[in-house]
Amino acid sequence: MASVALSEAEKVYIVHGVQEDLRVDGRGCEDYRCVEVETDVVSNTSGSARVKLGHTDILVGVKAEMGTPKLEKPNEGYLEFFVDCSASATPEFEGRGGDDLGTEIANTLYRIFNNKSSIDLKSLCISPREHCWVLYVDVLLLECGGNLFDAISVAVKAALFNTRIPRVRVLEDEEGSKDIELSDDPYDCIQLSVENVPCIVTLCKIGYRHVVDATLQEEACSLASLLVSVTSKGVVTCIRKVGKGSLDPESIFEMLEHLCMAVTSKTLFRLASAWARCCMPPCRVFYTRRRAWGPRDRKSDSWADVHSSLQLPNVRLLLFPGS
Amino acid sequence: MAGLELLSDQGYRVDGRRAGELRKIQARMGVFAQADGSAYIEQGNTKALAVVYGPHEIRGSRARALPDRALVNCQYSSATFSTGERKRRPHGDRKSCEMGLQLRQTFEAAILTQLHPRSQIDIYVQVLQADGGTYAACVNAATLAVLDAGIPMRDFVCACSAGFVDGTALADLSHVEEAAGGPQLALALLPASGQIALLEMDARLHEDHLEQVLEAAARASRDVHTVLDRVVRQHVQEASVLLGD
């Protein structure tokens, strides 16, 4: 993984800061950096999104292709994940250098989507045992500035939200042979419900405390972190410990409690904002359609649109940390 | 392709351009903070990203170091979702390797490599969306990225493709025009001196027409230079305002 070399003094500075709930960039331990989400960035995909979280920059393209259902699930479509750690993120990823990290992230994505609730796979089936939609979710890592997993999960969710799959009909004639008919209207397509698609929250253990949305420098100070994928309803779909260090069970429970406490108490304003921070790192979501890196005419839709479109928790979120 | 005429009687192409007209170019420099230089370019629907690291110490085996000049290392990759049909691998296939070599050749001709002996310059380009002219878009993006990194160059390298249909040379081919299967010429030009950094032509073309196609590609490359020059000037102006000069 892309990493930075820190001196002992720098590490002490970061660790002591975290103990005082003050991080190098001025955030508290539970604050996310600014998130920018853009959808519809690549026009020859079924759906695409680009997410920028600090210096982390992720581009996700979803392509829908027709395939055959898996034998054990004859009436469901499926998702395929591929993560490309491009050399532009760091020269270490040149050639095959990024393959290990890419496979690790892809496997994590498989795991967090490996349940019935995340996405309605039955809607991807065209005719049982014969045809289904296969969604190829391709993640491209453009820049790496820490907290990859969270940013990727947000980008995948946004890209799936943006995905339009053409509507097809199966016609059967008297002899029993089947024909697939594609709708003539290009706007006649199905959209996936991404309400239950989880987002990953990575809690990084630094010293005796844990932080969310760690930068590269903070990741270098942390020995282990806990990766939790959680939906907006508070359902946890996957937990993983990552990193070379170890975590004691107590601190794992403490971290989870922190998450759960924030997830369950919706009424309190203070907690609602904490919940928002945990379920989907908002802070500031710029929601732009159809403008990539080109000259930017950034249009921030109203907050309500942003939330409904990304299926953010339905509370009035405090979008600016500290406000 | 039956029924599709690439050039109408009135002299318009499929997307409504004239024969020598370029697609719209939009570019930005300095898109990433962590790299030494980076740039993003859109040429019509072709979108490419270039990142430059260096000059730095040789990575890996020291034996690759050149005693008198810098080593230019290029990697071309194109996103799995960039093409109409999904690609299986972003890089490492034959076409990507060839593209990397061509880029390397192009930039060895343009960068003043003798100023940085025993060091390495990495140029990584990535195609995010492919709609014809990927080589040209990559070269143009890489030029901006190298400029952004502040690496001394002889001149801009501006690239453009050209084709030949019904006795007329077409500049800046789109995917539809490339797929029709006529002759294709890729040209990378150093516009100030008019020197050619890379020239490649596929398919067959009568010798008498070559000059016409070459001239169209060169003119288009000069047009590209005008646009890139404006992008660079604007970027420098913005940067100097931020520095408070």
Side-chain angles (χ1 to χ4, degrees):
Chain A
M1 189 184 280
S3 55
V4 285
L6 288 187
S7 69
E8 208 51 48
E10 283 171 302
K11 281 187 182 170
V12 168
Y13 183 72
I14 290 174
V15 173
H16 284 187
V18 166
Q19 271 168 14
E20 305 290 322
D21 195 21
L22 183 64
R23 290 154 75 175
V24 177
D25 44 12
R27 289 181 288 158
C29 284
E30 283 153 33
D31 293 332
Y32 268 92
R33 291 169 286 182
C34 264
V35 192
E36 275 182 50
V37 183
E38 295 173 59
T39 54
D40 240 348
V41 207
V42 184
S43 60
N44 52 11
T45 56
S46 313
S48 60
R50 180 205 181 210
V51 165
K52 223 168 140 48
L53 175 68
H55 281 313
T56 304
D57 206 329
I58 311 286
L59 182 67
V60 174
V62 179
K63 261 185 189 295
E65 281 182 18
M66 228 178 259
T68 31
K70 291 190 171 156
L71 276 177
E72 64 272 20
K73 285 169 187 160
N75 52 359
E76 287 182 9
Y78 56 97
L79 275 74
E80 288 280 356
F81 294 97
F82 175 77
V83 181
D84 175 22
C85 300
S86 71
S88 51
T90 154
E92 290 163 37
F93 292 155
E94 197 190 333
R96 309 190 66 89
D99 285 9
D100 288 347
L101 179 64
T103 320
E104 189 197 338
I105 298 174
N107 285 341
T108 309
L109 287 172
Y110 275 116
R111 201 161 297 161
I112 71 167
F113 278 89
N114 183 21
N115 61 72
K116 288 209 166 62
S117 65
S118 287
I119 241 175
D120 179 23
L121 293 173
K122 293 214 166 71
S123 66
L124 296 176
C125 181
I126 299 166
S127 64
R129 276 188 296 279
E130 280 164 8
H131 297 289
C132 69
W133 287 111
V134 184
L135 295 186
Y136 289 96
V137 182
D138 294 313
V139 180
L140 182 58
L141 193 64
L142 296 174
E143 205 182 12
C144 190
N147 203 14
L148 279 181
F149 286 94
D150 295 19
I152 288 175
S153 71
V154 173
V156 167
K157 184 168 178 164
L160 286 174
F161 168 74
N162 183 235
T163 301
R164 305 278 185 279
I165 304 166
R167 204 180 286 280
V168 291
R169 282 191 304 160
V170 183
L171 305 172
E172 205 166 341
D173 61 12
E174 288 107 51
E175 284 131 44
S177 64
K178 286 178 181 169
D179 221 4
I180 290 178
E181 191 191 60
L182 193 71
S183 170
D184 292 332
D185 180 8
Y187 294 100
D188 186 18
C189 36
I190 50 173
Q191 256 181 287
L192 296 165
S193 161
V194 293
E195 201 180 346
N196 292 323
V197 171
C199 282
I200 299 177
V201 180
T202 311
L203 298 147
C204 245
K205 184 95 181 164
I206 297 179
Y208 296 111
R209 295 189 66 145
H210 53 262
V211 300
V212 295
D213 192 22
T215 58
L216 271 185
Q217 284 78 12
E218 286 163 341
E219 277 175 1
C221 298
S222 152
L223 284 173
S225 43
L226 191 70
L227 189 150
V228 186
S229 81
V230 56
T231 69
S232 56
K233 292 200 181 75
V235 179
V236 173
T237 65
C238 165
I239 296 183
R240 248 190 87 194
K241 192 226 102 189
V242 284
K244 54 184 184 293
S246 54
L247 286 174
D248 57 314
E250 266 169 44
S251 68
I252 291 186
F253 285 120
E254 191 194 309
M255 287 174 177
L256 281 179
E257 204 173 304
H258 214 100
L259 252 170
C260 292
M261 188 176 69
V263 166
T264 45
S265 322
K266 295 180 201 175
T267 42
L268 286 172
F269 194 65
R270 187 174 53 87
L271 287 179
S273 73
W275 178 40
R277 283 183 208 149
C278 290
C279 283
M280 168 110 185
C283 304
R284 250 156 94 195
V285 182
F286 287 115
Y287 186 69
T288 352
R289 291 182 74 87
R290 283 220 51 77
R291 236 327 12 106
W293 294 265
R296 222 169 251 188
D297 41 6
R298 176 185 288 147
K299 183 179 97 232
S300 256
D301 290 359
S302 74
W303 297 122
D305 287 353
V306 176
H307 293 148
S308 61
S309 63
L310 284 170
Q311 299 290 343
L312 287 176
N314 191 17
V315 276
R316 271 200 61 75
L317 300 177
L318 254 192
L319 292 170
F320 298 92
S323 62
Chain B
M1 218 181 283
L4 182 73
E5 57 170 5
L6 292 178
L7 193 67
S8 73
D9 298 336
Q10 287 76 32
Y12 289 104
R13 289 153 72 176
V14 182
D15 47 11
R17 283 185 288 158
R18 291 273 184 192
E21 207 175 319
L22 296 177
R23 291 174 292 176
K24 186 177 182 185
I25 300 180
Q26 287 183 302
R28 258 169 54 131
M29 292 167 73
V31 283
F32 296 140
Q34 288 177 343
D36 292 314
S38 58
Y40 170 77
I41 199 166
E42 281 181 18
Q43 284 186 250
N45 279 328
T46 301
K47 300 172 184 176
L49 195 62
V51 172
V52 170
Y53 288 92
H56 55 74
E57 224 175 308
I58 298 271
R59 219 164 341 92
S61 141
R62 284 290 165 101
R64 292 197 305 154
L66 304 168
D68 56 338
R69 60 198 163 92
L71 177 81
V72 180
N73 174 35
C74 292
Q75 182 179 291
Y76 167 93
S77 65
S78 86
T80 42
F81 48 77
S82 63
T83 45
E85 194 146 317
R86 184 177 176 271
K87 282 177 50 145
R88 274 170 47 79
R89 297 175 62 184
H91 50 82
D93 54 336
R94 204 147 51 108
K95 194 188 161 226
S96 308
C97 291
E98 192 201 356
M99 220 45 148
L101 277 174
Q102 287 181 347
L103 278 171
R104 179 180 174 165
Q105 215 184 68
T106 312
F107 281 91
E108 273 178 344
I111 295 175
L112 297 172
T113 46
Q114 69 276 16
L115 295 180
H116 304 285
R118 291 182 298 281
S119 48
Q120 179 177 353
I121 296 167
D122 294 319
I123 303 175
Y124 302 123
V125 289
Q126 191 128 49
V127 173
L128 304 178
Q129 188 172 332
D131 182 38
T134 46
Y135 170 75
C138 287
V139 170
N140 297 334
T143 304
L144 292 179
V146 172
L147 285 168
D148 187 38
I151 296 171
M153 290 211 284
R154 247 173 226 109
D155 193 0
F156 279 69
V157 202
C158 297
C160 200
S161 60
F164 190 73
V165 171
D166 303 336
T168 320
L170 307 181
D172 194 14
L173 302 183
S174 69
H175 177 68
V176 180
E177 289 160 339
E178 277 184 1
Q184 261 180 61
L185 182 129
L187 175 78
L189 196 72
L190 305 175
S193 54
Q195 297 278 316
I196 290 171
L198 186 118
L199 174 67
E200 197 185 52
M201 204 199 73
D202 334 324
R204 52 177 226 161
L205 179 73
H206 195 276
E207 194 191 343
D208 296 349
H209 299 310
L210 183 64
E211 200 187 330
Q212 190 191 347
V213 179
L214 199 59
E215 180 52 41
R219 203 178 320 114
S221 302
R222 285 199 191 89
D223 293 344
V224 170
H225 173 246
T226 319
V227 180
L228 296 191
D229 188 63
R230 199 163 55 213
V231 170
V232 174
R233 279 174 202 279
Q234 199 187 346
H235 176 78
V236 171
Q237 203 173 17
E238 280 170 14
S240 62
V241 166
L242 287 176
L243 288 171
D245 294 343

